[in-house]
Structure formats: C-alpha cells, structure tokens
Amino acid sequence: MDFDDLEFLAWGASLAQQLQQHFSYPDFPPYPQIPASEPPLEQAYGQHPIQEELAQAGLTGPPLEAIEAEQHCENEDPEDPEDQDRPQDQESLEEDKPAEDEEPAENEAPGAFQHALKLVENPSHFWTRLQNFYKAKGILQSALPTTPNSLWNFGPHKKINPHKLFLAVLSFGGRNLVSTDKKNWRAIGRDLGLSESHSETFSWHIRRLYSDHLFDFERSFTSNFDMQNDATPDASGTRSSNTTTPNAPSNASPNPAAVQNASFNMNSTPVNMAGAPMQTIQADTPSNRRGKFSKPEARAANPVDPIMSSLISEAMPVPSIYIRCLRGLESPLEEEQAFATHHLVAISDERGDKLKLAEFPSLAEHLVEVVLEKVGLLLYGKPWEVNWDGEPYSGLADNQIDGAYGTKNLLVRIQKRDIIFRNDGLMTARDDTLLRIASEAALTLRNLCTLDGNAHYVSDMEVVWDMLVILMHLPRNTVFDELINYALETVEMVCSWWDYKELGAVTQTLEKFLGSRDKHHCLTALRALVMFSMELPEGKDLGRLPIDKVRWLYQILQVADIDYELGSSTLDFLYQFTLVADNVRLLTEISYPAHEGVDLSVDWLPTLIRLLQVDVTVRTEEVVDQEEQRLPPPTAIPVVPAEVLDRDIEIFQEPERCSRWLRSCFVEDKDCEVTQIALWQAYQACFLIGRPDAGSILPAAEFINTVSKTFATAHAQVVSRETPKFVIQGIRPLEQPRDAEGYPWFSCDWEFPSADPEKPAYCANAYKDPVKLRDHVLHEHLGLPRNPDTGRTEYPQAETPGYKCCWKNCTEHTVPHTNSSLIAGHVARHLPTPRDLSHPPPIEQRKIIKPRVARVYKFETTPVDEKGEPFGIAYKAALILRNILDNLPQEPIYHRDEPHSWSWYVFSTRRDQLVELGILNTSLRGILFDVVNGIETS
Ligand SMILES: [Zn+2]
Ligand SMILES: [Zn+2]
C-alpha cells in the first residue's frame, strides 16, 4: 500500500458518495458490450462530445467533418497493448524501483489531454482555436503573435514554436504533470530542438512562457472534460481491467448514458482501483493551483487535514516508521523528536523522491516547528513558537511566528531578541543536541525540496520562508554554517516558485551572502538569485546592489577562469543583473568619476574581454590554392646495362633473377601503372631475344606473380576503358636502371650515324659514375685531347668546324662548330651532375614541378555544444558585454567638457580588440560583432 493509493481511496470514497447522491442508482450496471461493427460513439449517443465541449467553451474549430474523421480513427484504434502490460503507476514506498518508472510515458496522456491533442494536432486547427480562445476571453490582441506559424520569443534571443510546445506538453499530460519535475521541462526543451545545455538553462523560460500564454488555453480543453470525467472514473480506464469491458471506448463520453454505464465497484481491490488515472482528478491543492494558496485567506488555519491524518494513522497499513516519525515530531519529548529527525534525514535522503509533502499534510509544518523551536532554544534560551491561528499581523508575542499569514517585521523581531549563545564556539552537550535536531529537521526539508512537487508545495508556505529567513540570519559562527547551507539550498530549490514574494525580502537576504567567507554560501546564494531573477515575471531588477557587493563580484570575475564554479555562477548573476538598464546605470554611476576600483571602462571591460579567451581551442583551417604536381612517370622501361646484368642479376636463378631485374628497372609508386604487356616484353627483351644461351624464362602468369611479390604496392588490375587494359598498378619505370646497391647507371645516348633513319643507333655504354660518362663523351665522341702532364681535358679551337652535338633527340648544335669548349659546355647539359659515390644511393622520387600552395588560418574558438551553440565562461562574458552595451544610459557623458555617448566612453578603445577577437573566435563572432556594430552606430 502506498500513498497514492491512500489518496485514491479517499477520493474514491467521496466520489462514490457523490455518484450515489446524484444518480441514486443502487448498483451500477456493467458497461454494455459494443461490437466492432457498431456505429461510432457519436452516432450511438447523439451529439459528439467534442461538439458539446466546443459549444460550452465558446470555441469554434475546424469543420466538424475533419474532427469526425479524426475521431473515427481514434475510435478504431486498437487499445494500446502497452497500456495493459505496463506495471501500475503507483509503487509501494517499500519498493526500491527507480523513480523514472513513475514518470508518465508519452503515450499515456490522460484522456482529456489525448482528446485535446487530437484537436490541435493540425497546426491550422491549433492557431484557429488559439485565436478564438483569446477572442472569447476578451483579449483581442494577445501579447504574443497568434498568426499561424508565428514563433514566440522567450528567454534571451530564443524562439519557440508554440504549437509544438503545446503538443509536447499535452502529450506529457498537461502542464501540472510536467511541472512535477524540472527534468520534464528540460526534456520538452530538448524535444523542441534545444541543446542539452540550453534546455537546462532555458527550461524555466519555457515553463513561464507556457504558464503565461498557453496554460489557460490548455485548461479550456481539459476543464470541461474533467468535470465530466470526475463522474466517470473508468472513462479512460483501459487499465482497470476487471471493472471495464474490453470494448469500452478509450475516451470519456460526457453524456449521462455513459455515466450510468461506467461501472465503479467499491468492493474491488485497491490494487485494481489504483490503476485509474490519477491525473484526471482536479482538486485545488497547492501543487496544482499555484498562487491560490499563497494568498493569506486561502491558507488553512489548521494545516493538518483531519481525514488524511485519520486515514494514515488508523485505517491504512502505512509503514510504521513514517507514523512513528510524524508522531515523534509532534511529541514534546526531545528523544522522540531526535528519533524522528534522525530517521527522516535517512528516509528523505534515500526516498526523497517518493515522500510527497502533499501526502503528509502536517510533515512540513512540524519540521519547521522543530527547527524554530531548537534554534530559538539554542540562541535565546526560549523557542520560536509558531502561532497557527492568530489574526494576521497582530497579537504575536516576541518569540512567535505567524504560521498562517507570515510574520511581519520578522527581521526586527530577530534583532530584538537577546542572544545568550556563546559565540566562542564552546557548546554544551545540550546545545549539541538542539543543534543536531534542528540541522536534521532542516536537512530533511532540504532533501524533500529536491523534488519539484515538494519545493512547489513549501513555496506557498509563509512559515517556511520565515524559517529560512531566521536561519539565514543566524550569527556568523562556523557552528551554524551547516544550517545556513541547508537554508540557502532550500531557497535555491524553492525560489523559482516565489512569483509573489517581495523582491527586496529575497534579494536583500541573499545578497548578504555575496562575499561570505564560506564559498558554498556565496555559490548557493548566487545560484538562488539567478534562479529567482529568471523567474520574475516583471523583469530582472534585483534591486540596488551595495557597492561592496559590486566590488566583490568584480573581484570574483578576476579569477573566474581559475575558480570556474564560482566564476560561472557570478557570470550568470551578472548576466541577469545587466539585463536591466537601472543596474547598468548603477555600474556607470560608481564608474564615473572612477573610484573604488570598479570603473566600467577601465576595470570591467578589460576583465570581461580577457574572459572571452577562456577555454578557447586553437583550430587551423587550410585553403589550398595549388595542389602539388609531380613530373609524369617515364614512358619507357630502362635497359639494364650488360655489366650490371652480368654482375648483379644473371647469377641468380628464376624467379629471383626476374625479381632482381624488376628491382633494377622499377620502383614502387602507388600513383603509377605499367601495362602488363610492356613489362612482359621488356622482360623477354632482356633475357630471351638475341640470346640463344639464355635458358628458360618464367611463364607469363608466374612472371606477373613475381612482380606482385617483388613490390608491395604492385597488383595486377584490369582497367576498363574503351578497351580493357591489363596493368600492374603501383609501380613506375626508373629514369635510369639501378644496380643491386641501388645506384643508378647512366647510359651514353650518343647517336651514331645509321643507314635506316627509322632505327637510330646509340652508343649505349653505361657508367655508374657520372664523371666517367662525361669523360667518355668528351674523349670518345667529341675527340677532345688530354694534357699529357696533368691528364686534364683540353678544349682546342679547331681550324675547320668539327665539333657538334649528337645526343639523342637534341636539335641544337647539329651543325659542326670550331669552338670545342662551346660544344663541350652544351653537351654537359645532357649529362648527369657529378655525384659522390661514397654517399648512399639516392631515393628515387618524381620531381615536383609545381609545389603545393596553401594558406593556413588560425582560429581561437569557444567550445560549442552538440547543437553548435557556444557555452561556458567566455560565452557568458560575451553576453554580458552585449547587455552592458544595450543598457547603457542614453544621456550624454561629458568627457573633457565634450558630450559623448556612454557607449563611446566605455567601449571605443576596445573596439579593435573586439573585432580581432570576433575574427578569431568563430563561435562568439555573432555576439561580438553585434557589440562592435552597437559601438559604431552609437
Ligand atoms: Zn658513348
Ligand atoms: Zn645537344
């Protein structure tokens, strides 16, 4: 048995009573079986429920045919099998199942919301209805556009599609259900396309937008439905198996016939009854009617609901530990209270997500009472007492708190009391007990508030706020740090629900902690202020900060890149702060004339600009203007000189001989290819043709195989062009053949006179040493003499022209000349450059004929999230810069008797720096250039 069941039973009992009174049926007949072939509901029972609903709500929607068509589909839909298989929503407190199981699945929206979903699924239906709704309410022009497909602004510079938002919330089961947990709004934010980090940041904005502009609209769909639905507990009860016939329609039918037929069996077991959807019960409670209970007159003077108390204590087998704790808190015996708080801390820590304050109506009040009593005893020797039934603001004793209406002049009351607590930190055993019980009670409350529903619940309790104020004003003594932490953390969780709370009271109390020696106090207070200001409907005006707090914020900013956590919270706060022109004016006022070291232009701006570079990642981008181009591979396969062939190759047997030959003629090159036929012919020419003594050569297949084995990059391929071409991919011929050591051999290409001009003849002597080739050409072919003494070549001037170049393919100096030195100089250009043969052989590379040309750009970019949105310290600093520029005072500032704009005065000297940062930082560029444009237009 758990507490949802309890609530359900209480509701069920009162409902059964109502039903019996209303219809006076002694017993409810079962729901009639509707065969599948029966006409749909609207025909069987007269007017369609939606028509009625629309008529009542004064709404006119799309043509009825369209709705009917939709309704047809809906009725013909088979019941969702998952619905029946799903485990019961409610779980026992004793079970340790994870809390997520309790979150409603998307397809489990209660009937009213499913209904509404169908009606507005089509965007045009949605917009028509929304417009009509606003008209019906007498609002001719809504604050936000209602023209179809318009987007709504929310938060800073964000837009959202209201139709999608409405659908997302409806499919979740409506705003109240979504609001039971902050995570739900984040999930909706993600569904709407926000990134993970942004959906977290802006979930409050989304909730606010929805509450202000769509919640009433949602209620226009569901309120009529609920009135009827209250009388038909089984209307959407596809899950209460044994009380519903299988063919029961999945939607409520609001006409009396259906009500009569809805079976409701009080004798069925609670487990079955618990299957009915709890969300359809609309009763005004603090958790679903925000604001209603915050008004003093609405707050019950007696916080304990007598029916619930009696149910818990007597009728129901509630786990005894809870009862024991509740009774313990009520007890005047300190041992009992200590027992209760001790266990409640453990329970709230482990089961905080299940312990709903709304289901223990007196728990929060008792916890507050215990905290106040113990703190009062500890500090003043006399407890703070809670007066639950006093008249508002009158007749309270000095040590009394007004539990129902909130205590007026609480701060004055706190100051008036005489502290007997010794501030030297020495505590008696009794003090220790008091402090421990108070801390445990405060911690329990804090743990419970981690659940949004509980935070919401206590946000309406004035007495909780009074307790928090008292705790936050505890004397500055380390023994109270823990209690203050719990109070601040509770404020952080609750404050976003305080729409009505007076600004001054909250901000002044929290601002006290800015600059506290306890970092946790500063952090929590900052976060609470940010949360609170984000939630303020009327703006972000946090009130006038004292100058020492401004200076503290500035100091924290200096180290924001070192103390990331505190820095980040400070920037969040400053972002909210600088959204309001009055606050920026405050910064200018304490800036000019500059004093106190917090000048906007001299101090704030350089600091914020420096923070723009926090966490940047350096990234380079390359633009290639010209790709590298290499010399094309040689077209001919070199001929191995006979000397190399004899010495390095012929001494081996096949296939090694073939492999050696390949290595002397080819080199690995993955970009090149050689045709198989050319390769095969060269191999044959080397070892077969004109050599009767050559012996056998490899067969073709084995030859190709050997090529692949010799070169790692080589593989046989068929290139299909017009005619298929068989090639070896991955090798290219060398310019010069190589010997076994890898040295190239240079052959003499001097052309001899030939009878057949088609078949020129060449010298073909080959040399490893380029110098020897040169000597050979100069002496053998040009016929230059040597000096007999020195052995050097001499270059005589001939009587008759006798010197000419016969190098292969050369077209210069083909006519004989008398100047031998001229011709020798020319011929040397055909010859390889001399090379030191003691060096290792060169690595054969194709010559680069066009080098690669590229420009490299360097960026320093702020990191972005998965949606490409920047985040972190630098992003926040950029937003603050923009806020400051946007909200500077409009009147001129006189600098050396000249009038200037404030933006000129503050920003002009930083303009170039911002431009430079914007160019480098692609992710902040948009914001930074906004700022630069703002400076220029001012
Ligand atoms: Zn020669
Ligand atoms: Zn030549």
Side-chain angles (χ1 to χ4, degrees):
M1 171 61 66
D2 75 32
F3 299 98
D4 284 337
D5 293 341
L6 289 183
E7 194 181 328
F8 184 86
L9 276 183
W11 166 78
S14 70
L15 178 68
Q17 220 173 4
Q18 282 171 24
L19 282 174
Q20 289 200 348
Q21 283 168 0
H22 195 267
F23 298 109
S24 358
Y25 280 100
D27 205 351
F28 300 115
Y31 204 91
Q33 294 275 345
I34 304 173
S37 57
E38 282 271 12
L41 264 187
E42 62 268 32
Q43 291 171 31
Y45 294 109
Q47 201 185 17
H48 189 279
I50 296 169
Q51 275 175 283
E52 276 189 4
E53 187 186 319
L54 288 176
Q56 284 171 20
L59 299 179
T60 45
L64 188 62
E65 297 83 59
I67 303 173
E68 276 179 350
E70 287 167 10
Q71 189 64 22
H72 265 288
C73 304
E74 196 181 337
N75 281 340
E76 281 156 18
D77 269 351
E79 287 180 14
D80 190 346
E82 278 181 31
D83 255 1
Q84 288 165 340
D85 295 339
R86 252 183 74 81
Q88 303 274 328
D89 258 2
Q90 288 76 22
E91 279 172 33
S92 163
L93 270 166
E94 299 303 278
E95 281 175 32
D96 273 323
K97 292 193 81 173
E100 288 82 71
D101 284 2
E102 284 194 69
E103 286 181 11
E106 217 176 85
N107 59 355
E108 223 195 333
F113 297 104
Q114 279 180 3
H115 226 80
L117 256 180
K118 292 278 175 194
L119 292 179
V120 293
E121 229 163 16
N122 183 320
S124 66
H125 295 183
F126 168 79
W127 288 107
T128 314
R129 280 167 192 281
L130 190 65
Q131 283 166 353
N132 290 339
F133 171 74
Y134 277 121
K135 272 183 207 148
K137 270 180 77 183
I139 304 168
L140 288 177
Q141 198 133 32
S142 140
L144 289 161
T146 54
T147 43
N149 301 324
S150 44
L151 297 176
W152 287 2
N153 289 320
F154 76 101
H157 308 278
K158 295 275 162 205
K159 283 182 190 299
I160 209 163
N161 180 333
H163 177 234
K164 282 189 181 159
L165 172 64
F166 193 62
L167 291 184
V169 174
L170 283 192
S171 56
F172 220 103
R175 191 204 73 156
N176 290 336
L177 203 59
V178 178
S179 292
T180 52
D181 195 334
K182 280 176 197 167
K183 286 183 204 138
N184 296 344
W185 285 107
R186 287 179 202 160
I188 282 175
R190 283 195 298 274
D191 287 350
L192 294 173
L194 290 176
S195 67
E196 184 72 39
S197 60
H198 283 216
S199 63
E200 195 173 325
T201 312
F202 297 117
S203 62
W204 293 111
H205 295 275
I206 299 175
R207 181 167 71 80
R208 165 70 51 208
L209 181 82
Y210 190 90
S211 301
D212 288 352
H213 300 284
L214 287 171
F215 184 45
D216 282 349
F217 183 54
E218 174 197 300
R219 287 181 47 71
S220 77
F221 283 98
T222 52
S223 57
N224 290 316
F225 191 90
D226 286 335
M227 273 157 44
Q228 294 137 2
N229 211 32
D230 282 352
T232 54
D234 263 336
S236 61
T238 51
R239 279 174 290 146
S240 47
S241 49
N242 64 350
T243 55
T244 316
T245 52
N247 283 332
S250 58
N251 280 295
S253 182
N255 61 47
V259 174
Q260 288 171 28
N261 291 328
S263 78
F264 188 78
N265 185 356
M266 281 302 287
N267 295 327
S268 65
T269 64
V271 173
N272 288 329
M273 285 162 45
M278 302 301 292
Q279 299 86 349
T280 57
I281 308 161
Q282 288 281 330
D284 284 0
T285 66
S287 61
N288 69 357
R289 290 287 186 275
R290 273 193 83 185
K292 175 167 179 173
F293 287 80
S294 62
K295 295 177 194 101
E297 65 277 10
R299 189 126 204 107
N302 179 4
V304 184
D305 179 346
I307 297 172
M308 286 305 284
S309 284
S310 62
L311 277 172
I312 291 166
S313 57
E314 286 141 31
M316 296 300 150
V318 175
S320 57
I321 184 69
Y322 297 99
I323 301 305
R324 177 79 197 277
C325 287
L326 268 177
R327 295 287 168 260
L329 286 178
E330 289 169 18
S331 164
L333 295 174
E334 210 155 274
E335 298 78 43
E336 282 297 319
Q337 293 174 345
F339 175 91
T341 53
H342 177 78
H343 284 89
L344 280 170
V345 166
I347 293 168
S348 64
D349 188 37
E350 291 161 18
R351 307 267 167 91
D353 56 334
K354 304 244 170 70
L355 204 60
K356 292 174 185 129
L357 281 171
E359 290 160 8
F360 288 92
S362 60
L363 179 57
E365 284 83 350
H366 284 315
L367 286 169
V368 170
E369 279 179 330
V370 167
V371 172
L372 290 175
E373 183 194 333
K374 303 305 170 201
V375 167
L377 282 171
L378 186 60
L379 276 182
Y380 319 110
K382 201 177 169 195
W384 286 106
E385 283 168 8
V386 181
N387 183 341
W388 291 107
D389 44 24
E391 287 296 306
Y393 315 133
S394 67
L396 285 178
D398 279 352
N399 69 326
Q400 281 191 323
I401 300 292
D402 189 329
Y405 303 102
T407 314
K408 210 182 174 190
N409 296 331
L410 181 60
L411 288 183
V412 179
R413 284 168 172 275
I414 293 171
Q415 276 159 9
K416 269 199 327 203
R417 297 198 64 178
D418 294 325
I419 295 178
I420 61 156
F421 180 75
R422 291 173 49 149
N423 216 18
D424 56 9
L426 290 175
M427 290 172 74
T428 63
R430 162 95 179 122
D431 289 344
D432 219 41
T433 311
L434 291 173
L435 184 64
R436 197 184 67 238
I437 296 175
S439 296
E440 284 173 349
L443 177 58
T444 302
L445 208 56
R446 173 224 171 266
N447 288 347
L448 291 175
C449 286
T450 51
L451 190 67
D452 252 18
N454 285 341
H456 189 170
Y457 181 85
V458 301
S459 72
D460 291 328
M461 297 172 64
E462 293 289 345
V463 73
V464 170
W465 168 243
D466 286 349
M467 179 201 78
L468 293 171
V469 170
I470 288 173
L471 291 183
M472 288 188 286
H473 283 85
L474 283 171
R476 292 298 174 95
N477 188 318
T478 45
V479 298
F480 297 118
D481 277 355
E482 229 180 305
L483 261 176
I484 293 174
N485 275 339
Y486 300 149
L488 280 168
E489 284 165 9
T490 312
V491 170
E492 187 191 350
M493 290 179 281
V494 176
C495 70
S496 55
W497 305 95
W498 281 332
D499 293 357
Y500 62 91
K501 207 41 111 206
E502 216 183 301
L503 285 177
V506 180
T507 53
Q508 279 166 30
T509 310
L510 289 171
E511 279 163 9
K512 201 166 77 76
F513 290 97
L514 303 186
S516 161
R517 59 183 158 65
D518 185 316
K519 181 181 154 189
H520 192 77
H521 290 172
C522 303
L523 261 178
T524 323
L526 274 172
R527 282 202 297 257
L529 280 167
V530 170
M531 291 289 262
F532 187 54
S533 66
M534 282 205 303
E535 282 296 294
L536 295 179
E538 60 275 1
K540 318 282 180 183
D541 190 355
L542 288 159
R544 198 180 165 88
L545 267 185
I547 191 162
D548 62 316
K549 303 298 178 197
V550 176
R551 198 183 309 127
W552 180 78
L553 288 168
Y554 172 69
Q555 284 161 358
I556 295 300
L557 219 52
Q558 297 290 323
V559 293
D561 46 339
I562 299 164
D563 190 335
Y564 206 90
E565 195 184 16
L566 194 55
S568 190
S569 293
T570 304
L571 285 162
D572 283 340
F573 175 81
L574 283 170
Y575 171 73
Q576 298 292 334
F577 186 75
T578 52
L579 277 173
V580 176
D582 279 350
N583 293 335
V584 176
R585 180 181 290 278
L586 172 72
L587 292 180
T588 65
E589 281 169 10
I590 58 180
S591 282
Y592 187 81
H595 68 101
E596 313 261 6
V598 284
D599 184 86
L600 200 51
S601 163
V602 178
D603 299 310
W604 283 98
L605 240 63
T607 304
L608 286 167
I609 288 173
R610 185 176 64 79
L611 292 178
L612 294 176
Q613 279 144 296
V614 173
D615 284 346
V616 291
T617 48
V618 177
R619 182 171 60 84
T620 53
E621 230 168 68
E622 204 181 51
V623 177
V624 179
D625 292 322
Q626 180 182 280
E627 290 293 355
E628 184 184 78
Q629 273 188 30
R630 285 168 179 267
L631 201 68
T635 47
I637 297 170
V639 176
V640 182
E643 206 178 334
V644 175
L645 205 59
D646 291 343
R647 192 190 75 193
D648 293 344
I649 296 175
E650 288 283 16
I651 55 172
F652 293 98
Q653 296 292 310
E654 292 290 3
E656 181 60 23
R657 184 182 71 164
C658 170
S659 186
R660 294 261 164 179
W661 173 77
L662 285 167
R663 255 177 273 158
S664 75
C665 298
F666 298 90
V667 69
E668 291 180 358
D669 188 333
K670 59 184 172 43
D671 299 329
C672 298
E673 62 185 32
V674 178
T675 60
Q676 292 182 15
I677 187 74
L679 204 60
W680 175 243
Q681 283 170 352
Y683 172 61
Q684 282 180 321
C686 183
F687 296 109
L688 197 64
I689 294 163
R691 294 180 60 179
D693 60 330
S696 65
I697 63 165
L698 289 174
E702 207 178 317
F703 170 71
I704 298 299
N705 202 12
T706 307
V707 178
S708 306
K709 280 180 185 162
T710 305
F711 300 107
T713 55
H715 50 274
Q717 247 188 0
V718 183
V719 181
S720 46
R721 295 185 187 131
E722 298 91 70
T723 50
K725 199 166 113 184
F726 295 86
V727 298
I728 301 288
Q729 169 72 40
I731 57 172
R732 71 176 152 84
L734 287 162
E735 293 280 350
Q736 317 295 343
R738 291 188 299 194
D739 63 15
E741 290 160 320
Y743 287 100
W745 282 63
F746 302 95
S747 61
C748 174
D749 286 340
W750 199 265
E751 192 174 340
F752 293 140
S754 164
D756 182 0
E758 293 295 307
K759 283 188 181 172
Y762 300 103
C763 164
N765 278 330
Y767 302 90
K768 182 177 177 179
D769 185 352
V771 175
K772 286 192 173 147
L773 174 64
R774 181 172 165 277
D775 283 352
H776 159 78
V777 172
L778 293 185
H779 301 293
E780 309 281 323
H781 298 307
L782 282 180
L784 296 177
R786 281 179 202 275
N787 184 308
D789 299 330
T790 60
R792 286 169 181 265
T793 308
E794 289 185 335
Y795 301 94
Q797 186 77 21
E799 297 288 322
T800 53
Y803 303 109
K804 65 170 186 173
C805 176
C806 296
W807 201 259
K808 183 179 182 181
N809 298 334
C810 180
T811 53
E812 284 180 59
H813 300 293
T814 48
V815 179
H817 206 279
T818 53
N819 188 344
S820 67
S821 127
L822 177 80
I823 300 301
H826 162 80
V827 169
R829 280 163 49 196
H830 297 300
L831 304 174
T833 45
R835 160 177 298 163
D836 185 349
L837 293 181
S838 64
H839 285 181
I843 296 158
E844 293 293 339
Q845 293 281 357
R846 277 188 290 149
K847 257 201 199 112
I848 296 170
I849 48 175
K850 271 187 184 174
R852 185 167 190 273
V853 180
R855 282 165 291 162
V856 177
Y857 295 95
K858 195 173 150 199
F859 294 101
E860 292 176 1
T861 313
T862 298
V864 295
D865 59 18
E866 68 272 19
K867 295 269 174 180
E869 307 259 17
F871 62 88
I873 296 263
Y875 175 56
K876 290 171 183 174
L879 292 176
I880 293 170
L881 279 172
R882 189 168 67 184
N883 281 353
I884 291 177
L885 181 73
D886 288 350
N887 292 311
L888 279 169
Q890 292 304 307
E891 72 270 7
I893 174 175
Y894 286 87
H895 183 66
R896 292 184 186 134
D897 296 334
E898 296 266 334
H900 292 287
S901 71
W902 267 101
S903 47
W904 174 87
Y905 176 72
V906 176
F907 280 90
S908 59
T909 53
R910 314 285 167 196
R911 184 196 163 278
D912 292 350
Q913 204 180 350
L914 289 169
V915 170
E916 196 184 327
L917 284 169
I919 290 168
L920 284 175
N921 195 328
T922 45
S923 40
L924 294 186
R925 189 175 290 165
I927 303 169
L928 295 180
F929 283 6
D930 271 2
V931 175
V932 171
N933 287 335
I935 301 167
E936 278 166 3
T937 51
S938 68

